Amino acid sequence: MAIPAWPPGLPDLIGLVGSLGTSQLYEPPKSTPMDDGPGRTRTRTLISETPRSIVLMLDRDEFEIFADFVRRTLNKGARRFTAPVRLPSGLRGSRICRIDGAVAEQDLGPHSRVSFTLRIYDW
């Protein structure tokens, strides 16, 4: 099954100014204490994922496209997808992503403000 793509009618997953950021650039290694000697550390996953905070301001039409994409295409956010994102170099590039956790929506009359954590593979 092909990985779905971010809908062309929506803004890139760059987010509003000040919304980008992460509390951690990568998952820290898991540490296991040992009875004798230093603890053993190892990576938690085989894939490098970076969580990014995303906030988008969407008009009513864009919000309908977004809600349908997340609910139906991504099976309520459970599937991965490709999307244009801002890379560490500052340029835009396409990466495989997934939504981590819930998506929040704030109704601002003619617009909706949606926020969520986006996990970007190989960011």
Side-chain angles (χ1 to χ4, degrees):
M1 182 179 249
I3 295 177
W6 184 248
L10 296 179
D12 292 350
L13 287 173
I14 306 302
L16 297 175
V17 173
S19 75
L20 286 175
T22 182
S23 59
Q24 56 190 27
L25 286 175
Y26 54 86
E27 288 283 336
K30 184 168 179 69
S31 184
T32 304
M34 305 303 281
D35 289 338
D36 188 21
R40 180 174 296 161
T41 59
R42 62 194 177 283
T43 59
R44 293 175 186 250
T45 63
L46 299 174
I47 299 170
S48 175
E49 289 183 334
T50 302
R52 303 286 288 171
S53 299
I54 300 290
V55 177
L56 299 173
M57 192 68 74
L58 305 174
D59 64 28
R60 289 286 139 225
D61 292 335
E62 290 172 332
F63 180 70
E64 276 191 64
I65 294 168
F66 174 79
D68 185 62
F69 179 70
V70 172
R71 287 181 182 144
R72 291 184 194 201
T73 307
L74 299 183
N75 191 22
K76 298 179 187 166
R79 293 186 65 196
R80 299 177 304 158
F81 59 98
T82 59
V85 297
R86 193 182 118 233
L87 302 175
S89 65
L91 301 174
R92 293 179 188 190
S94 183
R95 291 289 186 269
I96 295 175
C97 307
R98 70 178 174 89
I99 293 175
D100 189 15
V103 176
E105 184 259 345
Q106 183 180 12
D107 190 339
L108 302 173
H111 293 87
S112 279
R113 183 178 186 263
V114 295
S115 57
F116 52 93
T117 299
L118 182 73
R119 288 200 169 260
I120 305 171
Y121 290 54
D122 299 321
W123 182 70

